[in-house]
Amino acid sequence: MNVLVTGATGFVGSRLVPALLAAGHDVRAMSRAPAAYDAPAGVDVVGGDLLDAESLAGAFEGVSAAYYLVHSMGSGPDYAERDRRAARNFAEAASAAGVERVIYLGGLGEEGSDLSDHLRSRREVEAVLAEGKYDLTTLRAAIIVGAGSASFETIRQLVSRLPVMVTPRWVRTPCQPIAIEDVIAYLVSVLDAPETAGETYEIGGPDVLSYGEMMRETARGMGRRPPLILTVPVLTPRLSSYWVWLVTDVDFAVARELIEGLKNPVVVTDDSIHDHVEVERTPFEAAVEQALRPAPRESRAAAGATQ
């Protein structure tokens, strides 16, 4: 199948492209800087910026399915509007080119008005994409565990730098993290399962943990003593964002969105995805071990070329 991947140089996209090739698909990768993208052999690289509709001309031609893996968190206070515009441009270009299927990786979380700004934006993107003239498959995931994940990198840096943490009550919020390898397996598998077209699924690993438990398990995976975590009722998410920003290398805007999102339980409530695809889910402990494993030299070089 001829497949287009947007966000091909990102955390998820850079892993999805070779996985699609390995599954026998013809892959076209879209990048805003195609000359700087060291693509795997056999990948057709095209330039395109989803915020510039004119730049998408021809990018979708001959494509049967497309992946939407783009979001603008951390790009500024107007990131939600940027995401809506990018999704709209994508939907219009894909529809005009006759793309049959679109697969979107969105955010897991309960429906309702209490969603964080970040999760609300992901749902808005999902709604915009659903307006296209193709079958949309949405996979909703919580924290993705892997080297390069902003959420996991925040946890890793916190436990490596703070033996004692004072946190708000969100540290007890339940979450169902998922290994990046499992996310890729789901993304590839639904493409070959036509019955998943037009459907929305929740995906997660086999373990449900609080954020405190994830930090303790990550510390153990790093060979460190688990941090002492003290919860207090007066530490607001905004204050927590400043704290994370000061202690870690994570951008403040990203830290703020991540912390705000921690108020929402993100647990799979519908596992019907397994009626259609088989993925052997990775336990959190093993996912952490894989994420902390040093990357091969060639992988580090490729990653550096696509930042």
Side-chain angles (χ1 to χ4, degrees):
M1 186 181 298
N2 294 324
V3 183
L4 172 70
V5 177
T6 64
T9 63
F11 168 57
V12 176
S14 62
R15 293 164 169 83
L16 177 62
V17 167
L20 287 170
L21 287 172
H25 298 289
D26 295 319
V27 181
R28 180 179 299 169
M30 180 188 293
S31 172
R32 287 180 296 179
Y37 176 31
D38 185 15
V43 173
D44 176 24
V45 181
V46 295
D49 183 347
L50 290 176
L51 292 173
D52 178 4
E54 293 183 359
S55 74
L56 305 181
F60 290 82
E61 293 303 321
V63 169
S64 300
Y67 286 86
Y68 192 92
L69 303 174
V70 176
H71 63 91
S72 305
M73 184 177 70
S75 64
D78 63 341
Y79 76 89
E81 172 55 31
R82 291 165 60 88
D83 274 347
R84 284 191 294 271
R85 182 152 47 97
R88 191 173 302 114
N89 289 340
F90 174 99
E92 291 176 355
S95 297
V99 173
E100 298 172 4
R101 291 194 63 185
V102 167
I103 299 172
Y104 170 56
L105 180 61
L108 184 62
E110 297 177 351
E111 301 285 355
S113 59
D114 195 38
L115 287 178
S116 68
D117 290 343
H118 171 54
L119 279 177
R120 187 177 299 111
S121 174
R122 301 302 289 272
R123 295 299 168 81
E124 289 176 348
V125 167
E126 185 179 321
V128 172
L129 292 176
E131 296 173 358
K133 298 177 181 178
Y134 43 70
D135 292 323
L136 175 67
T137 300
T138 297
L139 300 182
R140 295 176 177 173
I143 284 181
I144 300 177
V145 182
S149 161
S151 300
F152 180 71
E153 182 61 20
T154 300
I155 292 173
R156 187 193 68 79
Q157 289 192 31
L158 285 174
V159 301
S160 67
R161 299 176 183 182
L162 291 179
V164 179
M165 300 184 202
V166 178
T167 70
R169 286 176 297 213
W170 56 251
V171 78
R172 299 171 183 164
T173 303
C175 176
Q176 194 163 351
I178 182 170
I180 180 59
E181 290 81 4
D182 295 359
V183 172
I184 299 303
Y186 282 115
L187 287 170
V188 174
S189 296
V190 294
L191 183 60
D192 294 324
E195 64 273 20
T196 63
E199 302 294 337
T200 297
Y201 299 101
E202 299 176 346
I203 58 174
D207 303 309
V208 175
L209 308 97
S210 69
Y211 290 94
E213 289 170 332
M214 284 191 285
M215 286 190 279
R216 295 185 184 97
E217 188 58 52
T218 299
R220 282 189 282 267
M222 297 171 64
R224 302 179 63 89
R225 178 178 297 177
L228 176 61
I229 300 175
L230 306 174
T231 60
V232 294
V234 294
L235 194 59
T236 66
R238 184 169 183 82
L239 287 175
S240 299
S241 302
Y242 281 111
W243 169 63
V244 170
W245 175 59
L246 288 170
V247 173
T248 72
D249 298 331
V250 177
D251 179 82
F252 173 71
V254 174
R256 182 181 61 196
E257 295 297 335
L258 292 176
I259 295 298
E260 286 286 346
L262 300 186
K263 68 182 181 182
N264 299 117
V266 280
V267 176
V268 172
T269 59
D270 179 359
D271 62 358
S272 59
I273 182 67
H274 299 123
D275 294 337
H276 310 290
V277 302
E278 293 185 10
V279 172
E280 186 174 349
R281 299 183 300 165
T282 307
F284 183 73
E285 180 180 357
V288 169
E289 180 182 343
Q290 293 170 1
L292 296 174
R293 190 177 299 150
R297 182 174 301 176
E298 60 271 20
S299 296
R300 292 197 297 268
T306 60
Q307 294 302 312

